[in-house]
Amino acid sequence: VDKAYEHRSFQDIMEAPVAALQGISETKGEEIFSKALNVNTVADLADFKYCRWAESIMLLSQYEDTTLDVTEKEQEKETDEN
C-alpha cells in the first residue's frame, strides 16, 4: 500500500480509493479504474471478476500437469471415453 495507508486497518484500506495501492497514481486510478472499469475502491478491485479469474488461473497453474502434451491428453480423453 501507499505510505499514507501503511498504518491504517485493512477495513480502511478496503474502503480507500484504488490509488491507495502502491504504484497506482490518483490520475491513473481515476482514469483507468474508475472511468473505464467502474472500480473505485480497493474492495471493488478485489471483487472485480477479471482479477478473481486471473488469480484463480494463477493458483491452479501451480497444480497443472504440464508433462503431457496436447496429443497425449487427447489420447487419454479418448481412452477414458471408451
Side-chain angles (χ1 to χ4, degrees), residues 34-59:
S34 292
K35 289 181 182 175
L37 303 174
N38 197 31
V39 171
N40 299 299
T41 65
V42 173
D44 291 342
L45 182 60
D47 200 36
F48 190 56
K49 71 179 178 182
Y50 299 107
C51 287
R52 287 179 172 241
W53 291 351
E55 183 178 18
S56 296
I57 290 168
M58 181 187 69
L59 290 171

Side-chain angles (χ1 to χ4, degrees), residues 4-78:
Y5 291 88
E6 285 180 350
H7 300 291
R8 300 238 184 132
S9 70
F10 289 120
Q11 292 209 347
D12 284 347
I13 295 169
M14 291 298 288
E15 295 170 8
V18 178
L21 299 174
Q22 189 173 23
I24 301 176
S25 69
E26 287 185 34
T27 305
K28 291 297 180 190
E30 178 69 25
E31 184 180 306
I32 295 172
F33 292 98
S34 292
K35 289 181 182 175
L37 303 174
N38 197 31
V39 171
N40 299 299
T41 65
V42 173
D44 291 342
L45 182 60
D47 200 36
F48 190 56
K49 71 179 178 182
Y50 299 107
C51 287
R52 287 179 172 241
W53 291 351
E55 183 178 18
S56 296
I57 290 168
M58 181 187 69
L59 290 171
L60 290 170
S61 72
Q62 296 173 30
Y63 303 100
E64 182 177 31
D65 182 1
T66 58
T67 60
L68 299 176
D69 66 18
V70 174
T71 308
E72 291 173 329
K73 289 178 185 177
E74 287 298 318
Q75 289 174 349
E76 273 188 7
K77 184 177 175 183
E78 289 176 9

